[in-house]
Amino acid sequence: WQGKFAPAIEKATEGISQASDVLYRGAESFLHRVRGVAWLDLGDLAKAADDLTRSLELAEATENAADLGPVRYFCARLCLRRGQPEPALDHLRAGLRASRVNDPEHYAPALRATMARALASTDNVTRAEGILTDLEGQLEDLPLPRRTQVQINMAAAWVALGHPDEAHPLLRTAIRVATSRGFNAWALKAGILLCEVAEGEEAERARIDASRLAREILAGLPAESAGSFRRQPGFARLWVMMDDEG
């Protein structure tokens, strides 16, 4: 959440080794998920797929519904990054089924918001809009940080549906909370989206703030991860600004 991906991957790798040694499958599943999320946010989709697939295998083998919802959510995100909305929907439906059994991390709203994004990609506009409208009334009941995550996903779905005005207030709130709490990875995602929907001075400020966050995250990455991070969709305008600043 803080955007400190290199130490996160290092700690997760250590934990996976320790959990494997003592056959602690639940911890293995969780830590593969954590490491997979880090790879996903770094833009290394191949490594993300390896970890998330392993996490899903372990969660299914142990019939751990508490892990199945979250890992299905991130598998769906990976599919959307690869331009595969139909497999994403399969993961999301399975994740929602698991969340009805056990959802201690409150992932059901995030799964539904991401379903709206996937439906938008398959031209199921009415269903996507219905999900988002319903979620709007549930946001206040969500604990942090899940509420911020859901708001960013909802905003992304509204942008995909061609309704930037609906995304705008969600992004403003998400950025304010993420920045105050140190959720730099989420603040960066929301900032990149805000660059798309804002205008004038607000858009310029969003680009400046997002570029600063991207620079901070990039500075903490090894060379092999920096390349995939820089090449992610939506990041090009940030690097242009950073190059202009010298």
Side-chain angles (χ1 to χ4, degrees):
W1 294 345
Q2 293 179 318
K4 298 177 181 178
F5 295 115
I9 289 168
E10 179 183 356
K11 293 298 183 184
T13 302
E14 292 174 3
I16 288 167
S17 176
Q18 293 168 4
S20 178
D21 286 345
V22 297
L23 302 179
Y24 187 3
R25 299 307 185 210
E28 269 193 272
S29 175
F30 172 76
L31 290 163
H32 274 291
R33 188 222 308 174
V34 169
R35 193 171 67 178
V37 172
W39 291 127
L40 184 59
D41 284 344
L42 286 172
D44 193 328
L45 303 189
K47 289 181 180 177
D50 287 343
D51 269 322
L52 293 175
T53 298
R54 182 56 178 156
S55 177
L56 180 58
E57 289 171 349
L58 288 164
E60 289 182 325
T62 56
E63 298 182 346
N64 187 348
D67 265 1
L68 279 171
V71 72
R72 290 284 190 178
Y73 164 77
F74 288 109
C75 286
R77 271 191 50 199
L78 173 63
C79 288
L80 289 175
R81 283 289 305 273
R82 288 174 159 174
Q84 301 169 333
E86 293 294 348
L89 286 168
D90 290 338
H91 281 297
L92 294 164
R93 294 183 186 107
L96 284 169
R97 287 194 296 271
S99 71
R100 286 193 286 271
V101 177
N102 194 8
D103 188 20
E105 296 183 64
H106 304 282
Y107 262 90
L111 285 157
R112 294 186 67 212
T114 307
M115 180 171 283
R117 287 178 60 191
L119 289 169
S121 299
T122 58
D123 295 325
N124 285 288
V125 173
T126 301
R127 285 185 62 199
E129 291 178 346
I131 290 172
L132 295 172
T133 301
D134 184 55
L135 281 172
E136 190 68 43
Q138 301 176 25
L139 287 174
E140 289 302 317
D141 295 330
L142 281 177
L144 290 174
R146 196 65 58 223
R147 185 193 311 159
T148 302
Q149 182 185 41
V150 172
Q151 287 171 323
I152 295 171
N153 277 293
M154 289 174 65
W158 281 122
V159 170
L161 288 164
H163 295 297
D165 290 345
E166 299 287 350
H168 205 160
L170 290 165
L171 293 170
R172 282 176 170 169
T173 301
I175 289 172
R176 184 175 68 251
V177 173
T179 301
S180 68
R181 299 286 180 126
F183 303 153
N184 293 337
W186 289 355
L188 178 57
K189 292 176 187 177
I192 290 173
L193 278 171
L194 188 58
C195 290
E196 294 184 34
V197 305
E199 298 178 352
E201 291 184 5
E202 185 181 22
E204 184 67 11
R205 171 50 57 186
R207 281 191 290 271
I208 291 170
D209 291 344
S211 296
R212 175 183 54 79
L213 284 170
R215 184 189 295 111
E216 290 175 3
I217 292 173
L218 190 62
L221 296 178
E224 61 269 23
S225 295
S228 61
F229 182 73
R230 289 181 64 97
R231 290 190 296 271
Q232 293 188 86
F235 280 46
R237 74 184 73 185
L238 304 185
W239 309 135
V240 170
M241 172 173 282
M242 289 166 63
D243 291 341
D244 289 344
E245 292 173 353

